Amino acid sequence: MKQKNVRIFLLMLVTFLVYWFLNYGVVAELQLRRSIYEHAQTSAYFHNIQEILPYRSPYLGDASNTGNLFYHLPLHQYPMTFAIEPETCTLTVHYDTAAETTEQVRENLAYNTLAAMAAIDNLQCIQYEFQDGTYCITRQQVEKRFDVPLSALLDDTEQWEKATQHEIFLGTVLAEWFPMEIDTPCSSDSQQV
Amino acid sequence: MEEQTIHSDLIRGHIDAILLRILRDGDHYGYGLMKQVLTLSDGQYELKEPSLYTSLKRLEKQGSIESYWGDESQGGRRKYYRITPQGRAQYDEALAQWQWAKEIITKLLGGNDR
Amino acid sequence: MNELERHVEKLFRHQPDTPETQELREEILSNLQAKREDLLAQGMDERAATEAAKRDIPSVDGLIDDQQTTNVERYRMACAQTVWLHCILFWIGTLPLLFTGYGWLGTVGLGLSVLSGVGYLLFWLLHPVMQGTRSLAGARRRKSMAWRIWGVFYAVAALSVAAMTFGSNLWYGTPVTIEGPYQWAVMASRFYVPLLTVLIPLTVSRFAALLPQYRVEG
């Protein structure tokens, strides 16, 4: 009896050690990696474009698809609401934050715009509403930058990375697409740019 | 066999005493006891194993019989039983009781009139 | 001879292995053999003689004294030790789940193991000397009931999980697709978690198996 008790106690001890190691070692490590990854996804420079590939669509109509799309892009950490105007194929994304205080907001917007227009073929115009102002960007403006149709950009994710996720690209389009004054809402004028 | 079944019910209460009677004349093992019962009843009553074992167990617990193992050359060892002085006394008592009961019941059932 | 041995084996299959049942086993076998020999000597053929002998004793119900004088205190300690051990085994069983959404079961396992260990220790310290009778058949009944209940429980649990997981596939006629090892793991864990409860009937079984070991002679 006594020997068996000792053995059972040792078993309990070993189990405890394994449990501790797994729970506070391995699991914590995995959680840390996951949170690092998730944090990276909030920046245009480190975003994994594969996350939005399931949400490619030829049409703008599906509101839930659009929501999912933007939920997997940078800036998703702020509360968002969407409005779709089917006539003009305009998407309005309202971010519940002030653009001024948001880090890298213009780079992220540039990236998001390119991603959204590449993913949704008939998306013509996006209006970004912030607490302190509104931006507007049209498909024509974006297409001017590329020789190929926007959707083709998503066919090769390595290419996407090389072409878009760096300072040179994002830095240059910023000035053009999202000028410093943030009060240029979409109107019939801006659509003719 | 209808007849046998009726008899069995009547005899069942006396199996202990019957076994004691057989052991009084000599030691036996289980199957030997069963054979003796068949012989003594002229083939009219067959004691079944379950009743035999139950009875033997009871008698041994009461101290009326003792058991011992014999060595057999083939097959399993046999358990033999022998009667004890208490067993002999129990048998005498049981026989007297039966004879008294037999007398009274015969009278009550009107057996003497036939 | 062998056929009779097998018959006796079958009669005693569910009986505990005590000196008493061992003796009865030998006695019954020798008597059946004697009967068979006798019938053969009377001219019966082997087959009929064996069958006749077997027919005479179809079961041993009622022949075996079920009540066992037990050293209840030590029996209970053995049971408490079993509960402790099984709690630890349960805990070990929850370790693979730490990577899934069922990781909290690992904490449950820890708690149960510590509690049952402490309970066992307390028993050890406060042991009152106790003797009593326990029914062997009662313990066996509880064991088979525990297994039956658990069998029904797991069948229901597994079916519910299957319905939840594959129900919409069955309903709409779409094929089942499992993309990647992570999904496999999630699906497997849903069937595995209710399976851990098998330790309950195992514990009750062990209680029944332990009882004959704590009989008091005389």
Side-chain angles (χ1 to χ4, degrees):
Chain A
M1 193 68 131
K2 198 164 200 163
Q3 204 194 28
K4 190 165 182 195
N5 283 343
V6 171
R7 273 191 257 158
I8 296 178
F9 185 76
L10 286 176
L11 181 66
M12 188 163 92
L13 211 58
V14 169
T15 309
F16 179 72
L17 291 173
V18 174
Y19 168 80
W20 187 268
F21 173 70
L22 288 179
N23 214 15
Y24 297 101
V26 178
V27 172
E29 174 71 26
L30 290 178
Q31 280 174 343
L32 184 63
R33 287 209 204 146
R34 179 142 202 100
S35 62
I36 290 176
Y37 176 79
E38 271 164 17
H39 190 259
Q41 295 309 297
T42 61
S43 166
Y45 295 104
F46 305 109
H47 183 258
N48 179 6
I49 194 66
Q50 300 211 10
E51 299 257 355
I52 64 148
L53 293 180
Y55 307 110
R56 294 172 79 169
S57 167
Y59 305 110
L60 181 56
D62 190 345
S64 71
N65 191 57
T66 314
N68 278 326
L69 173 66
F70 274 85
Y71 206 75
H72 288 85
L73 285 172
L75 298 177
H76 70 260
Q77 63 270 36
Y78 302 105
M80 304 180 278
T81 50
F82 305 93
I84 295 177
E85 211 199 282
E87 305 252 315
T88 52
C89 291
T90 303
L91 169 69
T92 304
V93 183
H94 179 93
Y95 287 107
D96 200 10
T97 177
E100 244 183 2
T101 56
T102 308
E103 250 181 72
Q104 291 187 337
V105 68
R106 292 156 75 223
E107 284 95 329
N108 287 332
L109 284 178
Y111 181 85
N112 287 2
T113 306
L114 184 57
M117 287 187 177
I120 299 175
D121 299 334
N122 73 345
L123 174 57
Q124 289 302 316
C125 180
I126 305 182
Q127 186 167 260
Y128 294 108
E129 285 178 3
F130 289 90
Q131 285 170 351
D132 50 353
T134 309
Y135 280 115
C136 178
I137 176 83
T138 65
R139 197 181 187 91
Q140 286 162 310
Q141 282 175 280
V142 177
E143 278 177 339
K144 272 201 298 201
R145 281 271 157 187
F146 297 96
D147 300 323
V148 296
L150 293 181
S151 56
L153 294 172
L154 289 177
D155 291 336
D156 186 344
T157 55
E158 259 184 57
Q159 268 299 101
W160 171 274
E161 210 181 312
K162 290 206 187 98
T164 68
Q165 287 180 286
H166 52 87
E167 189 67 41
I168 300 171
F169 171 72
L170 289 170
T172 51
V173 299
L174 279 189
E176 197 191 302
W177 295 353
F178 300 105
M180 282 308 280
E181 71 184 67
I182 53 167
D183 216 355
T184 52
C186 290
S187 59
S188 41
D189 297 345
S190 52
Q191 295 197 13
Q192 276 153 26
V193 170
Chain B
M1 270 200 269
E2 269 291 316
E3 260 185 66
Q4 171 122 7
T5 326
I6 297 172
H7 293 169
S8 303
D9 281 340
L10 289 172
I11 295 177
R12 193 167 298 150
H14 304 278
I15 297 197
D16 287 11
I18 294 169
L19 293 177
L20 286 173
R21 180 263 175 107
I22 299 172
L23 289 172
R24 209 180 50 137
D25 298 332
D27 298 354
H28 284 276
Y29 71 101
Y31 184 62
L33 285 166
M34 286 166 66
K35 278 202 79 172
Q36 267 299 89
V37 168
L38 196 62
T39 309
L40 287 174
S41 66
D42 292 323
Q44 288 197 322
Y45 180 66
E46 194 182 346
L47 177 60
K48 295 285 193 237
E49 256 101 332
S51 317
L52 171 72
Y53 293 124
T54 323
S55 193
L56 285 173
K57 200 160 176 194
R58 189 167 43 232
L59 286 169
E60 194 171 4
K61 203 166 182 184
Q62 289 167 355
S64 306
I65 61 176
E66 287 170 342
S67 64
Y68 59 93
W69 291 97
D71 312 302
E72 304 295 314
S73 47
Q74 28 139 253
R77 2 174 240 171
R78 285 184 183 161
K79 202 178 204 183
Y80 286 87
Y81 295 90
R82 80 171 132 247
I83 194 169
T84 64
Q86 181 189 314
R88 288 178 198 276
Q90 186 179 338
Y91 166 73
D92 292 333
E93 171 84 26
L95 182 61
Q97 288 272 341
W98 163 248
Q99 280 166 341
W100 177 78
K102 188 172 76 171
E103 221 183 281
I104 301 201
I105 293 175
T106 309
K107 280 192 213 160
L108 290 171
L109 289 178
N112 290 330
D113 299 346
R114 301 172 101 232
Chain C
M1 225 48 102
N2 263 328
E3 203 177 325
L4 288 178
E5 275 176 5
R6 271 202 307 264
H7 180 67
V8 173
E9 223 35 61
K10 205 167 71 155
L11 288 177
F12 280 82
R13 201 191 355 229
H14 294 292
Q15 302 299 333
D17 195 10
T18 66
E20 182 199 286
T21 59
Q22 199 49 42
E23 284 195 2
L24 189 58
R25 205 193 288 243
E26 287 188 55
E27 187 177 0
I28 290 180
L29 181 62
S30 70
N31 285 330
L32 285 182
Q33 283 165 350
K35 173 155 194 163
R36 186 174 168 277
E37 302 285 303
D38 210 27
L39 290 174
L40 285 177
Q42 287 172 23
M44 241 197 224
D45 67 274
E46 270 206 49
R47 169 94 266 137
T50 312
E51 286 305 310
K54 278 162 70 173
R55 252 203 310 274
D56 256 17
I57 186 147
S59 93
V60 292
D61 287 343
L63 290 180
I64 300 190
D65 184 11
D66 190 55
Q67 295 295 320
Q68 171 189 278
T69 318
T70 317
N71 185 336
V72 172
E73 168 235 339
R74 293 190 60 203
Y75 171 64
R76 284 203 183 142
M77 274 209 356
C79 290
Q81 187 193 53
T82 303
V83 170
W84 184 33
L85 176 62
H86 285 192
C87 283
I88 296 173
L89 293 177
F90 169 77
W91 190 16
I92 293 175
T94 63
L95 291 179
L97 294 172
L98 284 174
F99 301 101
T100 70
Y102 296 104
W104 52 274
L105 281 175
T107 321
V108 170
L110 166 65
L112 282 176
S113 300
V114 169
L115 277 176
S116 58
V118 166
Y120 179 49
L121 183 67
L122 282 176
F123 213 104
W124 185 283
L125 295 171
L126 309 167
H127 58 161
V129 178
M130 225 199 304
Q131 230 185 56
T133 50
R134 287 287 178 277
S135 164
L136 291 157
R140 276 197 305 277
R141 258 200 313 273
R142 281 190 289 274
K143 165 177 117 168
S144 40
M145 196 154 72
W147 277 110
R148 258 179 263 160
I149 293 176
W150 184 80
V152 170
F153 158 77
Y154 189 71
V156 169
L159 279 172
S160 325
V161 170
M164 220 169 50
T165 317
F166 306 114
S168 60
N169 291 76
L170 278 170
W171 187 258
Y172 294 109
T174 54
V176 176
T177 50
I178 299 168
E179 304 149 14
Y182 182 70
Q183 260 201 304
W184 265 115
V186 167
M187 194 174 69
S189 64
R190 285 204 206 129
F191 285 100
Y192 176 69
V193 169
L195 193 61
L196 283 176
T197 56
V198 78
L199 279 165
I200 298 177
L202 273 176
T203 311
V204 178
S205 264
R206 192 88 186 105
F207 288 173
L210 282 172
L211 189 51
Q213 294 175 25
Y214 292 92
R215 78 176 345 218
V216 174
E217 294 307 324

